[in-house]
């Protein structure tokens, strides 16, 4: 192995599975803004609620989760017991599914208007990993992940992508369940103990740890020291500010 993904213990790592939003692409801000639009409309409808915080609330309740799970988690945190609704619910505020649909519509509009560029450090890590013979996959709870990765020019650097569409098709549970990561490792033909996970969401870090991956890397890009501490608490072996930091000598103990 090279410095791209250093060995973890006695067993060298043969693959790396990276989260998409916030690790490979600069799309987390688009997601946070879309959630803010959807949740603030819902909170305004009931009154007496403070607005959604696109940093703290985003990291605590929705980052790394599927739309339905994220919407349900945040609404429950505010004591709002909306009916679950169904997949055909139009964007709105009356059901969890409607709130999730409103977020999806807001995200799609922002993505088409602004795009979501790749993080340079993530690109450098992918290129270094491939040069070292390390197999690479990306995962995301978002159904737009493959579209985002394609727009950022990253698909040629990835052997496998397991996005929200694949998760729905296969019935895979969302993070912190490790199913997304273990499915990616399965498609790469590498057991989890011989693969690394790189994640910026606390739920994703926990998923990597629960999945038995050989190395779990947390990326604390913009959440401050509290976010870094939470990533460590949830099971990160190492926390970096950017995936490219893993290329520095001694980055991983």
């Amino acid at each position: 192995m090279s410095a791209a993904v250093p060995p973890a213990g006695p067993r060298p790592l043969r693959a790396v599975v990276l989260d998409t939003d916030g690790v490979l692409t600069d799309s987390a801000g688009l997601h946070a803004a879309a959630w803010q639009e959807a949740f603030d409309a819902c909170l305004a409808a009931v009154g007496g609620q403070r607005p959604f915080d696109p940093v703290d609330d985003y990291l605590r309740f929705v980052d790394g989760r599927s739309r339905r799970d994220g919407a349900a988690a945040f609404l429950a945190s505010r004591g709002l017991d909306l009916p679950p609704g169904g997949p055909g619910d139009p964007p709105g505020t009356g059901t969890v599914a409607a709130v999730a649909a409103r977020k999806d519509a807001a995200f799609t509009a922002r993505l088409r208007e602004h795009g979501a560029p790749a993080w340079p450090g993530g690109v450098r890590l992918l290129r270094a990993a491939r040069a070292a013979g390390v197999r690479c996959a990306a995962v995301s709870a978002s159904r737009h992940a493959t579209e985002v990765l394609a727009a950022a020019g990253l698909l040629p650097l990835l052997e496998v992508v397991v996005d929200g569409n694949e998760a729905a098709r296969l019935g895979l549970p969302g993070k912190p369940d490790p199913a997304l990561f273990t499915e990616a490792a399965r498609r790469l033909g590498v057991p989890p103990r011989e693969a690394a996970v790189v994640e910026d969401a606390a739920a994703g870090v926990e998923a990597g740890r629960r999945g038995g991956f050989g190395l779990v890397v947390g990326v604390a890009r913009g959440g401050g020291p509290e976010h870094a501490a939470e990533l460590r608490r949830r099971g990160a072996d190492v926390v970096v500010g950017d995936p490219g930091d893993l290329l520095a000598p001694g980055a991983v103990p």
Side-chain angles (χ1 to χ4, degrees), residues 225-245:
E226 295 83 4
H227 185 206
E230 177 68 5
L231 294 175
R232 292 187 181 93
R233 189 184 71 80
R234 298 286 279 272
D237 296 302
V238 61
V239 176
V240 295
D242 180 88
D245 295 345

Side-chain angles (χ1 to χ4, degrees), residues 4 18-19 36 51 92 117 125 129 147 155 161 165 174 186 196 208 222 247:
L18 304 100
D19 181 50
Q36 185 173 22
L125 179 62
E147 177 186 358
L155 285 183
V161 175
N165 294 306
R186 184 192 69 78
L247 301 175

Side-chain angles (χ1 to χ4, degrees), residues 4-239:
V5 183
R11 189 184 298 276
L13 299 174
R14 299 194 291 122
V16 58
V17 183
L18 304 100
D19 181 50
T20 299
D21 303 310
V23 173
L24 292 177
T25 64
D26 189 7
S27 49
L30 298 181
H31 282 290
W35 277 121
Q36 185 173 22
E37 178 180 323
F39 284 138
D40 282 357
C42 188
L43 296 173
V46 298
Q49 291 271 0
R50 70 184 185 280
F52 174 80
D53 187 310
V55 177
D56 292 340
D57 286 335
Y58 177 78
L59 291 173
R60 288 184 63 192
F61 300 112
V62 300
D63 189 23
R65 301 177 187 268
S66 69
R67 283 198 305 274
R68 290 288 295 271
D69 289 349
F74 174 74
L75 294 170
S77 78
R78 297 295 185 90
L80 301 181
D81 186 21
L82 298 185
D89 288 8
T93 61
T95 67
V96 173
V99 175
R102 183 162 186 158
K103 182 269 176 179
D104 185 52
F107 177 80
T108 300
R110 284 172 168 79
L111 180 63
R112 290 173 179 169
E113 180 178 357
H114 302 290
W119 285 109
V123 177
R124 288 191 291 113
L125 179 62
L126 280 178
R127 293 190 186 281
R130 285 173 59 88
V134 176
R135 307 187 72 178
C136 300
V139 303
S140 176
S142 171
R143 294 175 185 252
H144 297 284
T146 300
E147 177 186 358
V148 168
L149 290 165
L154 295 181
L155 285 183
L157 299 177
L158 298 161
E159 292 185 55
V160 166
V161 175
V162 182
D163 62 10
N165 294 306
E166 280 296 277
R169 184 180 69 83
L170 297 173
L172 302 179
K175 307 168 189 175
D177 191 284
L180 280 173
F181 291 117
T182 55
E183 175 63 15
R186 184 192 69 78
R187 294 185 186 193
L188 290 175
V190 177
R193 67 182 180 276
E194 297 179 22
V197 161
V198 183
E199 248 288 2
D200 69 320
V205 164
E206 182 178 339
R209 176 57 57 223
R210 288 172 59 182
F213 282 80
L215 178 68
V216 180
V217 177
V219 178
R221 195 184 294 281
E226 295 83 4
H227 185 206
E230 177 68 5
L231 294 175
R232 292 187 181 93
R233 189 184 71 80
R234 298 286 279 272
D237 296 302
V238 61
V239 176

